[in-house]
Amino acid sequence: MSTLRLGDTAPDFTAQTTEGEINFHEWLGNSWGILFSHPSDYTPVCTTELGTVAKYTEEFTKRNVKVAALSVDGVESHHGWIKDINETQNTTVNFPIIADEDKKVSDLYDMIHPNADSTLTVRSVFIIDPNKKVKLIIVYPASTGRNFDELIRVIDSLQLTAYHKVATPANWKHGEDVVITPAVSNEEIPDLFPKGHKEVKPYLRITPQPNI
Ligand code: BEZ
């Protein structure tokens, strides 16, 4: 296992999942991807997390994002647990849960942090772009359920900044003003940002979100 970093190609793998065997890169196709691990099936926080992801299906689909979960439990365990998730979270799990019993994928993505837990995966999140490059890595402890609104927010930022010469400021949300990247000269601004801009400092230039 080598350290996976932003900009690296997301490691490819073939794995058993609740939706059959998948080859990760093939399964992603031209979509964006979120790969996220959880410590264990039949645990309370994980149950709420996977239920929440299922409820966000429409948000992921409209952003062209495919989601896959992972733990080191087996497919049969995942299937049984999905029934509980659907029942208790009032939803339908409709994304694959990888059964990483041999820890092959966990090792590739460094999802087991032995000083936190020697056998179970932590709550890792990887956002992967359509070129299979890793664009975000976040790791949460087992005791803290993730904020999936934050992941949607990051997807919005990544998809915006991939196509426009802007970056998104602290706490930015879709629809709010953005900053013009330092590589853009003042002369280029009128053409690139016809909605106008405000120069707070020479290095801090604000413009309305260009793609809405
Ligand atoms: C949970 O999902 O609730 C959980 C899993 C492992 C450790 C602590 C909490």
Side-chain angles (χ1 to χ4, degrees), residues 2-22:
S2 63
T3 309
L4 196 55
R5 294 181 171 151
L6 299 190
D8 291 352
T9 299
D12 196 16
F13 57 83
T14 298
Q16 298 304 321
T17 83
T18 49
E19 298 189 356
E21 185 175 280
I22 63 165

Side-chain angles (χ1 to χ4, degrees), residues 126-137:
F126 298 85
I127 296 183
I128 298 157
D129 78 6
N131 296 318
K132 315 289 184 288
K133 298 296 179 200
V134 175
K135 302 302 281 187
L136 168 135
I137 302 172

Side-chain angles (χ1 to χ4, degrees), residues 104-181:
K104 187 178 71 182
V105 182
S106 310
D107 281 347
L108 279 174
Y109 282 82
D110 196 17
M111 290 164 163
I112 295 179
H113 295 199
N115 292 324
D117 190 296
S118 58
T119 55
L120 301 178
T121 42
V122 290
R123 298 187 197 281
S124 299
V125 186
F126 298 85
I127 296 183
I128 298 157
D129 78 6
N131 296 318
K132 315 289 184 288
K133 298 296 179 200
V134 175
K135 302 302 281 187
L136 168 135
I137 302 172
I138 322 183
V139 184
Y140 295 75
S143 52
T144 306
R146 281 159 284 203
N147 182 331
F148 291 92
D149 288 323
E150 168 62 2
L151 298 186
I152 296 280
R153 190 188 79 88
V154 177
I155 291 274
D156 283 342
S157 172
L158 287 168
Q159 294 185 342
L160 169 67
T161 59
Y163 303 111
H164 297 272
K165 292 179 177 175
V166 297
T168 58
N171 290 347
W172 174 86
K173 289 197 294 297
H174 182 76
E176 295 178 355
D177 288 353
V178 298
V179 297
I180 298 170
T181 53

Side-chain angles (χ1 to χ4, degrees), residues 38-40 42-47 49 81 117 120 123 142-144:
H38 58 272
S40 187
Y42 295 104
T43 49
V45 176
C46 303
T47 301
E49 285 193 323
W81 181 43
D117 190 296
L120 301 178
R123 298 187 197 281
S143 52
T144 306

